Amino acid sequence: GENVEQHPSTLSVQEGDSAVIKCTYSDSASNYFPWYKQELGKRPQLIIDIRSNVGEKKDQRIAVTLNKTAKHFSLHITETQPEDSAVYFCAAEAGNMLTFGGGTRLMVKP
Amino acid sequence: KAGVTQTPRYLIKTRGQQVTLSCSPISGHRSVSWYQQTPGQGLQFLFEYFSETQRNKGNFPGRFSGRQFSNSRSEMNVSTLELGDSALYLCASSLGTGRLIYGYTFGSGTRLTVV
């Protein structure tokens, strides 16, 4: 089955800096890659996703890049703000189910 | 459009007891997946139901079971509870058809504490 690895597990940045979270996946048939943000005590919420026919997608301060050849995708957050502090999960779709990475705890210091 | 509804929100049980959690998906969604999330841990996949059939299963002991009803509502059951079963149990619903997972949305979860 699909295996998704996510790095780093924790990331601390200064407010205004950029943050990058990377994921790799194993199933070359995967072609949908969403990212979820989970704030403390809340449910994971979809923040951005990308499909395999696209190499990059941006939504304001958030962008996701996909390299299908290397089987990795990344989340980029620019101009980080304290409210970006949360746990971020990447996921890859295979066989009509999502497999999640282990999560990255992002801390944005004011 | 109502979101994914999980009940109850909080639950305290004693070791050895059993528990049933409920998940009502978004209207029109036919797939319900269940996850266990422990403090500091990721999302551990339990199982997925689609059209009343278990379609995928994670690596959990047989004490964890589930089912889905004709209206797509799903329940999961944990028997002979252990302290290590204390966790946030999340369900997610999606259309479940086609090559892509459209509208994969999580509920707020049920926080289970086993004492």
Side-chain angles (χ1 to χ4, degrees):
Chain A
E2 175 69 279
N3 182 47
V4 178
E5 295 194 357
Q6 184 172 346
H7 299 281
S9 56
T10 60
L11 179 59
S12 182
V13 300
Q14 206 66 39
E15 182 178 357
D17 287 351
S18 295
V20 180
I21 302 170
K22 299 181 179 181
C23 289
T24 60
Y25 62 98
S26 61
D27 189 343
S28 57
S30 293
N31 57 10
Y32 174 64
F33 307 91
W35 286 86
Y36 287 81
K37 174 184 180 182
Q38 186 177 28
E39 296 178 60
L40 191 62
K42 297 189 176 180
R43 64 187 177 97
Q45 290 193 287
L46 178 70
I47 55 171
I48 195 168
D49 57 17
I50 190 167
R51 290 171 168 78
S52 61
N53 58 344
V54 175
E56 182 176 0
K57 183 177 178 180
K58 293 182 76 171
D59 182 3
Q60 300 182 340
R61 297 186 296 108
I62 293 173
V64 57
T65 59
L66 171 65
N67 184 326
K68 282 221 76 180
T69 303
K71 290 191 280 189
H72 67 70
F73 56 112
S74 301
L75 177 71
H76 305 251
I77 306 174
T78 58
E79 300 171 28
T80 53
Q81 299 168 5
E83 51 265 38
D84 294 330
S85 296
V87 178
Y88 292 81
F89 293 97
C90 65
E93 176 267 348
N96 282 313
M97 62 174 285
L98 287 180
T99 300
F100 286 85
T104 296
R105 182 174 299 279
L106 174 64
M107 293 170 284
V108 180
K109 295 178 286 187
Chain B
K1 190 173 180 179
V4 180
T5 303
Q6 288 189 249
T7 56
R9 289 296 308 277
Y10 303 93
L11 207 48
I12 299 176
K13 289 286 189 179
T14 305
R15 268 184 305 175
Q17 287 187 312
Q18 65 119 30
V19 67
T20 299
L21 312 180
S22 177
C23 174
S24 293
I26 291 172
S27 177
H29 283 192
R30 294 165 61 191
S31 169
V32 174
S33 299
W34 289 89
Y35 295 84
Q36 181 195 65
Q37 187 175 38
T38 47
Q41 296 297 310
L43 297 160
Q44 306 297 315
F45 174 72
L46 282 154
F47 28 65
E48 184 231 358
Y49 286 87
F50 178 76
S51 292
E52 302 179 66
T53 301
Q54 187 180 86
R55 190 162 64 172
N56 291 291
K57 189 177 189 304
N59 295 322
F60 276 80
R63 300 185 297 108
F64 293 81
S65 63
R67 59 177 175 169
Q68 187 179 35
F69 302 95
S70 58
N71 62 356
S72 294
R73 189 178 71 85
S74 176
E75 290 181 345
M76 68 162 281
N77 184 277
V78 187
S79 62
T80 319
L81 284 166
E82 301 176 359
L83 294 178
D85 296 333
S86 295
L88 178 67
Y89 290 87
L90 290 160
C91 79
S93 79
S94 73
L95 287 171
T97 59
R99 195 73 179 91
L100 303 176
I101 307 292
Y102 289 106
Y104 202 89
T105 305
F106 283 91
S108 296
T110 294
R111 186 164 296 283
L112 171 66
T113 302
V114 182
V115 297

